[in-house]
Amino acid sequence: MRWTAVLLVALSATLACFAETIDFDKATPGAVPPGWTVAMTHKGGAPKWEVIKDDSAPSKPNVLGQVSNDRTGGRFPLAVYDKASVKDGTLSVKFKAISGSADQAAGLVWRYKDPDNYYIVRANALEDNVVLYKVEKGERRGPVGRALGAF
């Protein structure tokens, strides 16, 4: 089964005097948008992130989607915005879980050093939860925190 998470608006960063919204509307469909690095924690087939057309996008026509068919358990594909540098700010993301039998999750990563060291807050549609994890030396530690209630 194909696992797909679509980032509708990948990143919205708000600082005291600067705000930026990242969209994929001018990016080339079928490719990773410029300024993004694809990585993965753990083993399995390579992640496949690409810009795809989605009529439900907050800003039409494109979104960034993870469209790999790999079903390896414990495989965490990442799309990292290279220019992100936020201190004392706010980040938000909109996403839509489309399919997947093992996992249907997406979230925000911060303090990203490499694919084996970062923090992530992850919403999982199959588990009906939002959980904070620390990934250290490739091992997901946590949950560090859990949001109250389901989404």
Side-chain angles (χ1 to χ4, degrees), residues 1-4 45-48 66-72 75 99:
M1 170 155 268
R2 179 177 169 164
W3 182 88
T4 306
K48 185 173 182 183
Q66 202 299 123
V67 297
S68 170
N69 291 319
D70 193 300
R71 298 170 74 173
T72 304
R75 175 181 172 274
S99 63

Side-chain angles (χ1 to χ4, degrees), residues 15 25 29 34 94 110 124 134 141:
L15 301 171
D25 299 335
K94 293 181 182 180
W110 70 97
N124 190 321
K134 179 180 184 180
R141 314 238 186 248

Side-chain angles (χ1 to χ4, degrees), residues 21-72:
T21 299
I22 310 301
D23 64 41
F24 307 101
D25 299 335
K26 294 180 182 170
T28 304
V32 175
W36 289 77
T37 298
V38 171
M40 185 171 64
T41 304
H42 291 227
K43 296 186 180 179
K48 185 173 182 183
W49 290 91
E50 62 183 47
V51 173
I52 54 178
K53 184 177 186 276
D54 186 326
D55 291 332
S56 69
S59 66
K60 294 179 180 36
N62 297 332
V63 297
L64 179 61
Q66 202 299 123
V67 297
S68 170
N69 291 319
D70 193 300
R71 298 170 74 173
T72 304

Side-chain angles (χ1 to χ4, degrees), residues 64-102:
L64 179 61
Q66 202 299 123
V67 297
S68 170
N69 291 319
D70 193 300
R71 298 170 74 173
T72 304
R75 175 181 172 274
F76 305 112
L78 303 169
V80 179
Y81 184 54
D82 299 332
K83 297 176 185 174
S85 179
V86 178
K87 181 176 180 179
D88 299 326
T90 301
L91 300 174
S92 65
V93 64
K94 293 181 182 180
F95 68 92
K96 176 173 64 174
I98 295 174
S99 63
S101 57

